[in-house]
Amino acid sequence: MFSAASVRGARHSSFWLYLVEHVPTIAYFPSFTPYSIHPRHLSKLPPVCSPSAFVSHLGSSVIGSQGNQLNRLPSRYTSNSSVELKTLNDVVRFSLYKPANSSSGIKSQNQNMKKSKRAKVNELKFYRLKAKQKMYSPNPQVRIRYKLEKAKRKETWLIEKLRKFDVPKLPAETFDPEILTEEERHFLKRTGEKKKHYVPVGRRGVFGGVVLNMHLHWKNHETVKVICKPCKPGQAQEYAQELARLSKGIVIDIKPNNIIIFYRGKNYVQPKVMSPPDTLSKSKALEKYRYEQSLEHTSQFIEKLEKELEEYHEHVAKFKKGKEDTT
């Protein structure tokens, strides 16, 4: 009598022999992990079976056992990849299989993302060499055009930066404007000139801190002087209109030395929020001033380059005309 182990071994050997001879195909078992395959799934098969019966039996038994394992295994041990059964060169192998579309997309992304440090350095060197050739070109037209293109790029960049500092203005509140007589205006003007307290408006221009200082002065005084130190021609009038809108004060006089005298009004009440919300902070106002200065100098430099280019074209035309006359 044969033992149970020897009978089982004979069945297994005959089954694998039949599988190698008659199953030259590939079978896919989606969504189970390689550790869920166990020889006990093969022990229930008869010694000789068809490939379709083997695939159906193996798939159902493996998936069923995997469901039991997934209930008690943590998620990090599970896998969404499929298993591939290959029978090549009379050898049966199991291997993990992934769809071709996803792998190709990941490879293309990695190729775009990955770039060696050496390649980046070489690219920068190439652009610098091209710029150097244009900068030190013997042809003056090439030099001027290179500087002009660079300055225009900087100008567009500065304009985009300054757009970030545009604060939307709040709708104007309705209030009754106070009417002052000539005598009252003359009296307030004299008192404002005699007082020594003042509020400076520097390179930052009008921002929240200037309006706050005006309200603090109006707590004890009726009038306040606003001194605009680095002020362009006509800029004092713009400052006066902006400060009158933000502080709701009355402009008494604008002097030639860029001094503005403000009156708080007869029915003045100090607001709870003395710094208006539609104004810039001190640091933001300084940053805006620097961008504005850079934009102003860049625009002047562009005008200068355009003038030089026109003069060069006139010189070339004149030289060609003189050469044609001599010939």
Side-chain angles (χ1 to χ4, degrees), residues 41-177:
H41 305 308
L42 304 176
S43 63
K44 298 178 183 179
L45 286 171
V48 178
C49 68
S50 63
S52 59
F54 163 70
V55 171
S56 61
H57 177 80
L58 185 60
S60 61
S61 59
V62 169
I63 291 169
S65 64
Q66 188 208 8
N68 297 330
Q69 287 185 2
L70 288 176
N71 292 332
R72 62 176 182 272
L73 284 174
S75 60
R76 61 180 176 180
Y77 294 117
T78 60
S79 172
N80 292 327
S81 59
S82 56
V83 174
E84 190 175 5
L85 175 63
K86 294 183 179 180
T87 57
L88 298 175
N89 299 326
D90 298 337
V91 178
V92 180
R93 289 192 180 92
F94 289 98
S95 64
L96 294 177
Y97 171 76
K98 292 183 181 179
N101 295 331
S102 61
S103 62
S104 62
I106 292 168
K107 284 181 182 178
S108 62
Q109 288 178 3
N110 292 339
Q111 287 175 1
N112 294 334
M113 290 173 63
K114 287 182 180 179
K115 201 172 185 181
S116 64
K117 189 176 180 182
R118 190 67 183 172
K120 293 178 183 178
V121 171
N122 290 338
E123 191 176 356
L124 287 173
K125 282 183 179 179
F126 173 75
Y127 287 127
R128 285 170 187 164
L129 181 63
K130 286 287 183 184
K132 211 174 224 183
Q133 288 174 356
K134 291 179 181 179
M135 197 183 298
Y136 299 106
S137 174
N139 189 356
Q141 186 178 0
V142 175
R143 294 198 303 268
I144 294 170
R145 283 190 181 280
Y146 169 72
K147 292 177 184 177
L148 191 61
E149 289 173 2
K150 193 175 178 182
K152 284 182 177 178
R153 285 199 303 270
K154 185 179 179 181
E155 187 181 28
T156 54
W157 178 77
L158 288 169
I159 290 168
E160 289 178 359
K161 282 285 184 183
L162 283 170
R163 282 176 187 166
K164 297 179 181 178
F165 298 98
D166 293 338
V167 182
K169 294 182 179 180
L170 296 175
E173 297 180 6
T174 55
F175 64 96
D176 296 331

Side-chain angles (χ1 to χ4, degrees), residues 104-301:
S104 62
I106 292 168
K107 284 181 182 178
S108 62
Q109 288 178 3
N110 292 339
Q111 287 175 1
N112 294 334
M113 290 173 63
K114 287 182 180 179
K115 201 172 185 181
S116 64
K117 189 176 180 182
R118 190 67 183 172
K120 293 178 183 178
V121 171
N122 290 338
E123 191 176 356
L124 287 173
K125 282 183 179 179
F126 173 75
Y127 287 127
R128 285 170 187 164
L129 181 63
K130 286 287 183 184
K132 211 174 224 183
Q133 288 174 356
K134 291 179 181 179
M135 197 183 298
Y136 299 106
S137 174
N139 189 356
Q141 186 178 0
V142 175
R143 294 198 303 268
I144 294 170
R145 283 190 181 280
Y146 169 72
K147 292 177 184 177
L148 191 61
E149 289 173 2
K150 193 175 178 182
K152 284 182 177 178
R153 285 199 303 270
K154 185 179 179 181
E155 187 181 28
T156 54
W157 178 77
L158 288 169
I159 290 168
E160 289 178 359
K161 282 285 184 183
L162 283 170
R163 282 176 187 166
K164 297 179 181 178
F165 298 98
D166 293 338
V167 182
K169 294 182 179 180
L170 296 175
E173 297 180 6
T174 55
F175 64 96
D176 296 331
E178 298 180 9
I179 300 170
L180 300 174
T181 61
E182 291 294 329
E183 295 176 354
E184 289 175 340
R185 280 185 175 273
H186 180 72
F187 171 74
L188 292 170
K189 181 180 174 183
R190 293 290 300 273
T191 53
E193 288 174 355
K194 289 178 182 178
K195 299 286 183 181
K196 292 184 179 181
H197 58 274
Y198 68 94
V199 174
V201 176
R203 56 182 181 173
R204 293 178 178 84
V206 177
F207 63 99
V210 177
V211 184
L212 174 66
N213 288 336
M214 289 175 68
H215 283 294
L216 292 175
H217 280 289
W218 280 340
K219 188 176 181 181
N220 299 319
H221 307 280
E222 289 185 340
T223 59
V224 64
K225 285 191 290 186
V226 177
I227 299 175
C228 311
K229 198 60 178 270
C231 201
K232 298 175 185 176
Q235 201 170 14
Q237 283 77 11
E238 295 178 5
Y239 286 162
Q241 292 176 3
E242 187 71 13
L243 288 171
R245 182 184 70 84
L246 293 171
S247 64
K248 297 180 179 60
I250 302 169
V251 181
I252 300 297
D253 188 26
I254 302 173
K255 293 189 169 295
N257 54 354
N258 299 324
I259 295 177
I260 310 167
I261 299 174
F262 280 93
Y263 173 55
R264 69 181 183 180
K266 296 175 183 176
N267 304 321
Y268 172 73
V269 178
Q270 195 176 58
K272 293 181 180 177
V273 180
M274 291 184 281
S275 180
D278 57 340
T279 54
L280 296 173
S281 62
K282 189 175 182 180
S283 59
K284 291 284 184 183
L286 181 60
E287 194 175 353
K288 182 183 178 183
Y289 165 75
R290 286 172 178 167
Y291 282 129
E292 285 175 348
Q293 286 291 105
S294 182
L295 181 63
E296 184 181 353
H297 295 316
T298 306
S299 59
Q300 291 175 1
F301 185 61

